[in-house]
Amino acid sequence: MLDFIGQALIYVVPFLLVLTLVVTIHELGHFWVARAFGVKVDRFSIGFGKGVLSRTDKHGIEWRLGWIPLGGYVKFSGDADPSSVPDSRGLEAMREEIAAHDGQGAEKDYFHFKPVWQRALIVAAGPFANFVLAVTIFTLLFSLIGAEIRPPRIVNVVPDSAAAEAGFQPGDLILRVNGRAVEDDVAVQRMVTLSAGDPLDFVVRRGEQDVALTATPRRVETQNPIAGPVRMGVLGVEMRPMPGEATHMRYPPHEAVWQGMKETWSVLETTVTYLGRIVTGRESGDQLSGPLGIAKASGALTNAAADVEASNGIRLANVLLTLISFAAILSIGIGFLNLLPIPVLDGGHLLFYGYEAVARRPLAANIQEMGYRVGLVLLVGLMLFATWNDLRKLSLFQFLGGLSS
């Protein structure tokens, strides 16, 4: 029983810490830009539910620590709920209510009466803050820890694989994939993983010559120690740098920022590519993960980082670095998710503001309400699908079947 509780804590606590950090930064993005434009704010909360700790500052903003550590939120004055975007009639009623309570002209401090471009920037600031967090984390890692660059040197070709059919040979050094220069094996693996069934054009250095090859990665199910069983594109090669080829680089601050931006873009590009392949039917979507999958991944990463043979101090540092890196990747995912043009999410608000900017009036309230209902259904459906994937990977159904037999 104690072992079960200990394992549960290892999986749950890191996930909650990372999620709370990422969501808090997201909400701070909204908050800082809103305050810069003079928007009146009622509350900023870390966590949900009843407040465990609470303090009200000189601006009348309540800073609250909720007892449910699943992120946080910022509540602007006049917001009935997170999806409240009134139409012209609703705005007029709100204006009269504010004037009766605070006096004429007081509505200028309320979010809904700010110019549409300011509201759009406030909404976009949340996802933008997530991307900034990721760039900042990657920048610190590249400058303080550095990165190992492993040239994509092929040391083995699996017989009867896609690589063997294409003519790859041991000793080949991959220079470009689909016209894009690659410097390390990670970049090659990312492109191959998301290209099952799609021909890829390679240029390899073989001796003194550059040789052009075309290979089509095959979809193969493999066991990932972090994500569990995954189906991905496989080329059929083993890559390992020759002695002296691998280098470890710690970047100066200005180069580390650039590398951090490149890494953030690479993760974002991979996410967009995968979702695009789902939409076009080239991927099944079975790799989408929900809260259970993310918690499992954070726990597995924590266990892996803690299992290194080193002193307790080094093991603790390794765990912290691993969770910080995981926070950067999760932050990119949350930032991207919130930019999707789905009502209820930030992207849905931006969609409505785009209409308002063109039509010079807010979208009708009944259409907005319908949009939010559809958006909520889509979002819940996506979460249920991701949770189904998580449960399947956790082998829960086989476990329950075994209990009933």
Side-chain angles (χ1 to χ4, degrees):
M1 182 65 179
L2 292 177
D3 288 341
F4 173 80
I5 294 175
Q7 284 297 312
L9 290 176
I10 288 176
Y11 279 83
V12 173
V13 172
F15 167 66
L16 293 180
L17 290 175
V18 171
L19 180 65
T20 299
L21 168 66
V22 171
V23 176
T24 298
I25 294 297
H26 177 97
E27 295 301 327
L28 281 173
H30 294 311
F31 175 82
W32 284 328
V33 177
R35 292 300 296 157
F37 289 137
V39 174
K40 190 175 180 181
V41 178
D42 287 341
R43 179 186 302 135
F44 186 96
S45 177
I46 300 176
F48 294 92
K50 187 176 180 180
V52 178
L53 296 175
S54 178
R55 183 181 71 86
T56 301
D57 65 17
K58 62 180 181 180
H59 301 291
I61 303 172
E62 179 193 4
W63 295 85
R64 172 187 290 188
L65 180 64
W67 71 276
I68 304 176
L70 287 175
Y73 64 92
V74 55
K75 184 178 186 300
F76 299 130
S77 299
D79 265 354
D81 56 73
S83 64
S84 59
V85 184
D87 59 4
S88 300
R89 184 180 302 176
L91 285 173
E92 188 58 36
M94 186 183 296
R95 188 194 308 272
E96 293 176 0
E97 182 180 347
I98 294 172
H101 187 270
D102 298 331
Q104 292 292 333
E107 75 276 1
K108 294 180 180 179
D109 294 334
Y110 284 70
F111 174 80
H112 294 302
F113 296 94
K114 293 295 181 180
V116 65
W117 66 271
Q118 291 187 7
R119 283 178 277 143
L121 286 179
I122 292 170
V123 169
F128 180 75
N130 284 130
F131 298 137
V132 171
L133 173 63
V135 171
T136 301
I137 290 175
F138 287 138
T139 297
L140 291 174
L141 293 176
F142 279 122
S143 61
L144 299 178
I145 308 300
E148 185 178 18
I149 300 176
R150 297 166 53 88
R153 175 78 66 180
I154 296 175
V155 297
N156 183 45
V157 179
V158 178
D160 300 322
S161 64
E165 290 184 359
F168 282 88
Q169 297 179 10
D172 287 348
L173 177 66
I174 300 176
L175 301 178
R176 290 189 294 278
V177 182
N178 279 356
R180 179 182 300 183
V182 290
E183 298 179 351
D184 57 70
D185 53 8
V186 174
V188 176
Q189 290 169 358
R190 281 177 175 172
M191 298 181 72
V192 169
T193 296
L194 292 178
S195 299
D198 294 340
L200 293 178
D201 295 324
F202 294 84
V203 175
V204 302
R205 175 68 51 80
R206 182 175 296 167
E208 301 296 326
Q209 295 182 332
D210 290 350
V211 180
L213 302 170
T214 299
T216 302
R218 299 171 183 172
R219 183 174 282 104
V220 176
E221 182 171 306
T222 61
Q223 188 67 30
N224 186 289
I226 303 300
V230 296
R231 290 187 293 176
M232 59 184 186
V234 172
L235 190 60
V237 298
E238 179 184 354
M239 291 181 289
R240 186 171 62 248
M242 302 292 286
E245 281 189 328
T247 58
H248 187 274
M249 292 188 61
R250 288 178 57 185
Y251 296 88
H254 65 286
E255 292 186 15
V257 172
W258 175 244
Q259 291 296 326
M261 294 174 65
K262 286 174 58 178
E263 185 67 18
T264 299
W265 175 257
S266 179
V267 174
L268 182 60
E269 183 181 37
T270 299
T271 302
V272 173
T273 299
Y274 179 63
L275 292 178
R277 288 176 63 84
I278 293 176
V279 172
T280 57
R282 290 179 291 175
E283 296 287 348
S284 64
D286 59 351
Q287 304 310 319
L288 286 176
S289 290
L292 290 177
I294 297 173
K296 177 179 180 293
S298 64
L301 287 169
T302 302
N303 275 326
D307 283 344
V308 297
E309 295 183 3
S311 64
N312 290 336
I314 293 178
R315 292 169 64 187
L316 177 60
N318 194 36
V319 169
L320 291 176
L321 288 173
T322 300
L323 290 179
I324 289 172
S325 301
F326 182 65
I329 296 173
L330 182 61
S331 188
I332 296 170
I334 288 180
F336 172 76
L337 176 65
N338 273 277
L339 284 177
L340 293 177
I342 300 175
V344 178
L345 300 177
D346 293 332
H349 286 276
L350 293 174
L351 188 65
F352 288 161
Y353 294 152
Y355 171 87
E356 182 179 343
V358 174
R360 302 298 181 92
R361 66 178 185 277
L363 196 62
N366 61 333
I367 297 179
Q368 291 187 48
E369 183 179 357
M370 183 184 302
Y372 281 113
R373 288 180 178 177
V374 172
L376 184 60
V377 169
L378 290 174
L379 192 60
V380 170
L382 178 63
M383 293 303 298
L384 288 175
F385 178 72
T387 302
W388 173 271
N389 285 338
D390 295 338
L391 293 174
R392 182 176 53 80
K393 292 177 184 177
L394 291 171
S395 301
L396 178 64
F397 302 114
Q398 290 88 334
F399 174 74
L400 294 176
L403 289 180
S404 62
S405 60

